[in-house]
Amino acid sequence: MTRTDGYLLDNGQSEAAERFDAFATLFDPTTFRHLEALGVGPGWRCWEVGAGGTSVVSWLAKRVGPTGRVLATDIDTSRIAPAGRPPVEVRVHDVGAEEPPGEGFDLVHARLVLVHVPDRDRALRSMIKALRPGGRLLVEDADPALQPLLCPDEHGPEQQLANRLRHGFRQLLSHRGADLSYGRRLPRLLREAGLRRVEADAYFPVTSPACAALESATVRQLRDQLVAAGVATHDDIDRHLANVASGDMDLATAPMISAWGRKG
């Protein structure tokens, strides 16, 4: 496989909605817990970076109320356009290539975004620049290299096939410029950028219907690319999708590491 720039999992494909729903089920409770702890409330000005779906945007809109503002940006806003009514503004924006779309935000949040951004250092600087003094930054990103397996309990041929496909998926991500060990570096990067009171934790789903739904949608979305890369045949993928649908497999995700801090 050769390096190809661009986001591997296009938001415009039909499986994207299924993936966003699965992400919301898996990760919204963790994200909302952190946002509540950061004190998000009425009147806050928030920037949701790489929003993708609407679940976090809608939660923020309810918290900030009519006196607040939620700016939701992405390179493809087709999935978040329905949320674009006050206090939410939806805007096309590339966080890794453009100047921040404003300053003075009380909160900037990105979930499962920067790992895919080619110039993620610039993106992080842009997000911090957009904060007011004392503003909060919450960055949540995966670390696939920390836990690379789809089936940590690899006890049979079904699990071996699943992990082979996951390895191929990771190769596709890497050759598109994703940093598969980015999540673990977030606390250090936030401190080095001058943020204060930096903390972090991780959430690692091991098995749930949402893990299975996410895996099914991802593999269906990438079927042709996995076959073209020689990772698997169409028969392999059909067999794997049937195994996933059986409900008898324990499917995990990469850990999502959440790191947060305040601008000095």
Side-chain angles (χ1 to χ4, degrees):
M1 291 179 289
T2 58
R3 168 74 180 270
T4 305
D5 289 329
Y7 184 39
L8 179 65
L9 294 157
D10 184 357
N11 290 356
Q13 293 178 262
S14 59
E15 294 86 0
E18 297 176 57
R19 298 183 70 254
F20 288 141
D21 287 346
F23 282 139
T25 299
L26 288 167
F27 299 122
D28 277 0
T30 296
T31 296
F32 297 164
R33 173 171 58 86
H34 289 311
L35 292 173
E36 287 180 349
L38 291 175
V40 178
W44 275 46
R45 297 157 295 171
C46 305
W47 177 19
E48 181 66 16
V49 179
T54 62
S55 64
V56 176
V57 172
S58 297
W59 187 93
L60 287 170
K62 291 178 181 178
R63 294 288 291 203
V64 306
T67 61
R69 179 194 182 205
V70 178
L71 176 61
T73 64
D74 205 328
I75 56 174
D76 178 354
T77 59
S78 57
R79 302 286 176 182
I80 53 174
R85 55 186 178 274
V88 176
E89 176 189 354
V90 175
R91 189 183 304 180
V92 175
H93 180 263
D94 185 343
V95 69
E98 300 179 60
E99 287 298 304
E103 296 187 3
F105 288 100
D106 301 291
L107 169 78
V108 176
H109 172 243
R111 184 174 76 186
L112 305 175
V113 174
L114 296 190
V115 66
H116 300 288
V117 175
D119 195 347
R120 55 191 64 87
D121 291 339
R122 175 177 176 174
L124 186 60
R125 290 194 302 270
S126 177
M127 292 162 62
I128 294 172
K129 180 181 178 181
L131 287 168
R132 66 166 176 82
R136 281 78 157 175
L137 176 69
L138 173 62
V139 182
E140 303 179 293
D141 241 313
D143 195 312
L146 191 61
Q147 196 296 106
L149 301 177
L150 179 62
C151 297
D153 180 20
E154 189 181 86
H155 69 276
E158 296 87 356
Q159 290 74 24
Q160 292 169 359
L161 173 59
N163 285 339
R164 174 157 62 89
L165 290 174
R166 176 55 58 91
H167 177 70
F169 173 46
R170 291 175 60 236
Q171 286 184 302
L172 290 174
L173 285 172
S174 179
H175 284 276
R176 287 295 183 102
D179 184 344
L180 302 183
S181 58
Y182 186 67
R184 74 190 71 177
R185 293 200 290 273
L186 285 171
R188 173 174 58 83
L189 293 174
L190 266 57
R191 285 196 305 272
E192 290 177 350
L195 294 189
R196 300 176 179 176
R197 303 182 189 178
V198 172
E199 298 182 52
D201 65 13
Y203 175 60
F204 172 30
V206 175
T207 185
S208 78
C211 287
L214 178 61
E215 173 64 10
S216 176
T218 300
V219 169
R220 285 185 283 112
Q221 186 168 352
L222 298 179
R223 170 192 283 268
D224 291 341
Q225 295 178 69
L226 290 167
V227 172
V231 173
T233 66
H234 283 294
D235 286 343
D236 290 333
I237 291 175
D238 287 339
R239 187 165 69 255
H240 174 62
L241 290 173
N243 292 338
V244 171
S246 74
D248 295 330
M249 301 177 71
D250 294 318
L251 306 177
T253 72
M256 183 181 75
I257 297 176
S258 304
W260 59 95
R262 295 191 182 193
K263 186 174 182 177

